Amino acid sequence: MLRTVARQAVLRSRGGEVARRAMSSFVVSGSNRTSRARGSVAGAPLVMSRGLKEISFGGTTETVYERADWPREKLLEYFKNDTIALIGYGSQGYGQGLNLRDNGLKVIIGVRKDGASWKAALEDGWVPGETLFDVMEAVQKGSIVMNLLSDAAQSETWPKLRPLLTKGKTLYFSHGFSPVFKDLTKVEPPKDIDVILVAPKGSGRTVRTLFKEGRGINSSYAVWNDVTGKAHEKAQALAVAVGSGYVYQTTFEKEVNSDLYGERGCLMGGIHGMFLAQYEVLRENGHSPSEAFNETVEEATQSLYPLIGKYGMDYMYDACSTTARRGALDWYPIFKKALKPVFQDLYESTKNGSETKRSLEFNSQPDYREKLEAELQTIRNMEIWKVGKEVRKLRPENN
């Protein structure tokens, strides 16, 4: 069984082999700030360096920027004359805003007065008239405007916000949605200011949690306009300031396409669909709810997926039982063949704007919250997730 992986993962003797194999797949070069990670490439010793790196995968070279390049003191000096106006206090606004504040930067929040986000900001210590303002007042005060409103709200507020983005300001996004699909959103950034993007690869809650743990989330950055000649370094610095551990470059177009595609695929929609399909087949064949949930979700999320994240899928094949290994090797090509056409259709739907149109149309409806809640309630009422609620209570840490 695949549970063998969990037992073998604790064997420290595997650590060196895993690290060497993982490191052998790419070449790293960088500054002389040496970290402890070591491996080998083609038999030669390899030292991973802190700071700017160039990583080559299959002939493609990427530059990665690290938090070590932007220590807190450097951030404070770089942004000493800036007021960062963060508008929107949802998931990303919450995480990025608190991290900016904890890093000592001058940041203010802009949200609709007395709305739910205003009340949430008050609870987090933002002070009306000092660090908490109405959206448009915050935009006027900010030299850097971080537009973290929802995609639909960005489209709705743009006619009022656009005239306030005067020369000398910087416009910041965490998603390429609005400017890339400007024909639908009507959000066309000014051409005379820097326009940048920092996209953390996780929810705002994760951005905050990893920052508080002293780690940092991985993020991408992109530049739409570089009027000052400093847009790239500004984006890299802001990425670290909001809680990133390392940053890689992309484009607005690639960010939004990969993000929408990933959310609907392996990150949320696709994985949920696979969970449901496997669970239902087990139940239809007489397995108990507890067994079906454990074999489908609990073992995956609590035992196997964390190991894949830490060591890689190749480690899973090396570490699991011979029976599990044989079955996985036989069946993954079948799943790939069946699913790839679905993913191809999904990517095309993302690229041609169909997903954007659907999102804007739904989220702009006056009763969208009620409709969304009805759909989410359907998920909450599914047997698989009701079982999951009970199974989680049995975890040792919850007893």
Side-chain angles (χ1 to χ4, degrees):
M1 293 294 291
L2 282 173
R3 293 186 189 86
T4 308
V5 176
R7 291 194 294 271
Q8 294 189 15
V10 301
L11 299 178
R12 301 298 185 189
S13 61
R14 292 282 304 168
E17 179 185 341
V18 172
R20 285 190 295 274
R21 185 174 61 251
M23 293 301 299
S24 66
S25 63
F26 59 84
V27 178
V28 180
S29 61
S31 72
N32 58 8
R33 294 194 297 275
T34 304
S35 74
R36 297 175 183 174
R38 296 176 181 270
S40 63
V41 177
L46 171 68
V47 179
M48 285 188 72
S49 301
R50 300 295 295 172
L52 182 146
K53 294 186 179 69
E54 286 190 346
I55 305 179
S56 294
F57 296 91
T60 299
T61 300
E62 297 185 50
T63 300
V64 177
Y65 304 86
E66 293 190 298
R67 182 170 50 187
D69 295 311
W70 289 94
R72 188 170 183 269
E73 295 75 16
K74 186 176 178 181
L75 290 173
L76 291 173
E77 175 63 24
Y78 191 82
F79 294 111
K80 66 182 180 181
N81 297 321
D82 285 302
T83 295
I84 301 173
L86 188 157
I87 60 173
Y89 202 66
S91 175
Q92 286 296 334
Y94 155 84
Q96 295 189 39
L98 291 178
N99 292 352
L100 285 166
R101 187 173 73 181
D102 285 356
N103 270 327
L105 303 188
K106 185 178 180 182
V107 56
I108 60 176
I109 301 298
V111 290
R112 182 171 56 85
K113 192 171 183 179
D114 297 326
S117 293
W118 181 277
K119 295 174 183 176
L122 287 174
E123 291 176 1
D124 289 335
W126 302 96
V127 181
E130 295 181 15
T131 57
L132 180 59
F133 300 89
D134 177 79
V135 171
M136 297 308 159
E137 187 176 1
V139 173
Q140 287 178 309
K141 291 179 177 293
S143 56
I144 298 174
V145 178
M146 300 176 66
N147 195 342
L148 300 185
L149 294 167
S150 69
D151 295 322
Q154 287 186 19
S155 182
E156 292 167 8
T157 59
W158 187 250
K160 292 182 178 179
L161 192 152
R162 169 63 180 83
L164 303 179
L165 297 172
T166 53
K167 192 171 182 178
K169 291 181 183 282
T170 295
L171 178 59
Y172 168 112
F173 294 97
S174 277
H175 192 18
F177 187 100
S178 293
V180 170
F181 295 107
K182 57 183 180 293
D183 290 343
L184 293 170
T185 65
K186 308 307 178 185
V187 176
E188 187 163 1
K191 296 180 180 179
D192 60 348
I193 66 173
D194 287 349
V195 180
I196 60 178
L197 172 147
V198 173
K201 298 300 135 183
S203 72
R205 300 287 165 177
T206 307
V207 171
R208 180 62 175 160
T209 299
L210 293 180
F211 176 83
K212 290 170 70 175
E213 291 176 358
R215 297 163 60 191
I217 197 164
N218 54 309
S219 302
S220 62
Y221 90 90
V223 172
W224 184 276
N225 287 341
D226 184 6
V227 174
T228 65
K230 297 181 178 180
H232 286 269
E233 68 176 19
K234 196 183 307 180
Q236 295 156 19
L238 278 169
V240 173
V242 301
S244 304
Y246 75 87
V247 191
Y248 60 92
Q249 187 176 358
T250 186
T251 66
F252 273 67
E253 291 82 1
K254 289 179 180 177
E255 187 283 328
V256 70
N257 286 341
S258 62
D259 188 78
L260 295 178
Y261 174 74
E263 290 168 348
R264 287 151 179 74
C266 290
L267 300 180
M268 293 177 67
I271 200 68
H272 189 198
M274 286 190 67
F275 280 158
L276 290 175
Q278 179 165 309
Y279 179 88
E280 290 176 5
V281 169
L282 285 168
R283 293 287 287 123
E284 290 161 4
N285 281 274
H287 295 268
S288 70
S290 177
E291 183 172 50
F293 184 85
N294 273 282
E295 291 295 338
T296 300
V297 179
E298 193 74 353
E299 187 172 348
T301 60
Q302 298 304 297
S303 176
L304 306 185
Y305 291 174
L307 293 176
I308 295 172
K310 188 171 183 178
Y311 298 119
M313 183 62 77
D314 57 335
Y315 174 79
M316 292 284 289
Y317 282 101
D318 285 345
C320 69
S321 70
T322 56
T323 300
R325 184 186 304 153
R326 182 67 267 148
L329 290 169
D330 288 344
W331 277 90
Y332 88 78
I334 298 172
F335 277 105
K336 177 187 173 183
K337 183 177 180 180
L339 291 172
K340 190 169 181 180
V342 177
F343 278 95
Q344 289 171 327
D345 289 345
L346 170 57
Y347 191 84
E348 181 57 31
S349 179
T350 298
K351 190 174 180 179
N352 67 23
S354 297
E355 296 301 314
T356 300
K357 187 173 184 292
R358 160 71 173 154
S359 180
L360 286 173
E361 288 176 349
F362 181 85
N363 295 331
S364 297
Q365 295 173 15
D367 59 346
Y368 91 94
R369 292 184 185 277
E370 291 80 4
K371 291 180 178 179
L372 176 63
E373 178 57 29
E375 290 187 85
L376 295 176
Q377 194 60 39
T378 299
I379 293 176
R380 295 186 192 104
N381 288 331
M382 289 177 178
E383 182 187 90
I384 182 173
W385 303 120
K386 285 186 173 181
V387 174
K389 187 175 181 180
E390 297 306 311
V391 170
R392 286 192 293 275
K393 294 177 183 178
L394 302 176
R395 293 176 185 168
E397 66 267 26
N398 294 330
N399 291 322

